[in-house]
Amino acid sequence: MFYVKKILLNLNIKFSSIYILEYGGIREVTEEYTNHMKRLTEKILGWLSEGLGLPRVALTQSMGGDTAEYVLRINFYPPTQHSELTIGAAAHSDMGAIALLVPSEVPGLQAFKDEQWYDLNYVNSAVVVIIGDQLMRMTNGRFKNVFHRAKTDRERLRISWPVFVAPRDDMSVGPLPELTGDENPPKFETLIYKDYIDQKIKGWALEDLPVY
Ligand SMILES: O=C(O)CCC(=O)C(=O)O
Ligand SMILES: [Fe+2]
């Protein structure tokens, strides 16, 4: 377990420092970017809550309100000659609740639906919204997590900037009582978020360890 976490940490540090060296000013840019993403996340969670017939603040609050964690990851995919054989980010669903991603103009992100992979087209100024495991668990499956992966490009460097929103590690997360009942029993166990992460990582075989 520790070993896996260490690999993930090292990769993030390595890629982030390349970015800092190349572009500088990372703190200001990151803070501003994350602030915008936080506002947008709360708006989107508000719309999703209303779509479920819940008060606008329901999903944000179920994630701990202002204690929810926002993590910006910078994925750095160097060009690879044999891009068809090189996986950038292996197929996975995100562990947290929701992720917002400003897509790179270098294509590569794919989503799995109806037993096949679809390329996500780049749309200038669009934001990709990825439903993660916790939003699926909280809504008792009304919103589904999405399996996705990223390919590398043959010639161009690809960088992506997802912001992940997740409950605090010690929060209990499970189907909201408002969304369950006799007709609709809970489909997921309520778990402390950290225990959920540990369980999920333990289930990964080393050979299909996601590269992120
Ligand atoms: O690079 C991308 O487009 C997706 C990255 C991703 O799925 C992730 O970091 O969880
Ligand atoms: Fe992801």
Side-chain angles (χ1 to χ4, degrees):
M1 173 70 68
F2 175 71
Y3 179 65
V4 170
K5 283 196 172 155
K6 201 159 170 280
I7 296 176
L8 300 182
L9 192 73
N10 282 344
L11 286 175
N12 272 345
I13 290 173
K14 194 167 140 215
F15 293 159
S16 309
S17 43
I18 291 171
Y19 187 85
I20 292 166
L21 286 180
E22 261 188 50
Y23 298 94
I26 191 86
R27 178 188 295 259
E28 295 75 17
V29 175
T30 304
E31 270 176 15
E32 197 180 335
Y33 183 70
T34 310
N35 284 338
H36 284 293
M37 285 306 198
K38 184 163 190 278
R39 284 214 298 276
L40 185 58
T41 304
E42 285 174 358
K43 261 194 196 161
I44 292 172
L45 288 176
W47 295 326
L48 295 178
S49 300
E50 285 180 341
L52 294 166
L54 301 175
R56 182 170 269 266
V57 292
L59 289 173
T60 305
Q61 272 176 3
S62 312
M63 262 199 311
D66 279 341
T67 71
E69 293 190 347
Y70 286 71
V71 173
L72 165 68
R73 178 185 299 149
I74 302 170
N75 292 309
F76 185 93
Y77 306 101
T80 45
Q81 219 191 351
H82 297 287
S83 59
E84 68 291 350
L85 301 174
T86 315
I87 294 173
H92 65 283
S93 61
D94 294 334
M95 290 198 229
I98 194 165
L100 301 191
L101 185 138
V102 173
S104 160
E105 57 235 64
V106 181
L109 182 58
Q110 294 185 318
F112 194 69
K113 188 172 181 284
D114 303 330
E115 303 302 309
Q116 75 183 83
W117 287 102
Y118 288 89
D119 291 323
L120 267 81
N121 289 336
Y122 171 72
V123 178
N124 185 19
S125 83
V127 172
V128 178
V129 178
I130 300 176
I131 304 281
D133 300 348
Q134 304 316 308
L135 202 53
M136 175 167 79
R137 301 176 74 254
M138 275 178 209
T139 62
N140 206 27
R142 294 277 294 276
F143 294 128
K144 308 256 182 291
N145 59 358
V146 62
F147 219 47
H148 55 284
R149 68 181 183 187
K151 298 189 304 180
T152 55
D153 192 81
R154 196 183 291 268
E155 272 138 29
R156 289 170 297 171
L157 164 69
R158 181 169 185 274
I159 299 180
S160 69
W161 300 69
V163 170
F164 298 91
V165 188
R168 246 185 13 236
D169 271 14
D170 59 351
M171 265 197 74
S172 268
V173 184
L176 301 187
E178 306 90 299
L179 299 177
T180 52
D182 292 343
E183 303 280 285
N184 189 18
K187 295 186 182 127
F188 304 95
E189 196 187 347
T190 296
L191 289 171
I192 305 281
Y193 181 46
K194 184 178 179 315
D195 294 341
Y196 177 87
I197 297 175
D198 288 351
Q199 272 188 23
K200 186 159 173 171
I201 291 179
K202 258 188 218 149
W204 287 337
L206 205 55
E207 61 272 20
D208 39 64
L209 188 67
V211 183
Y212 64 5

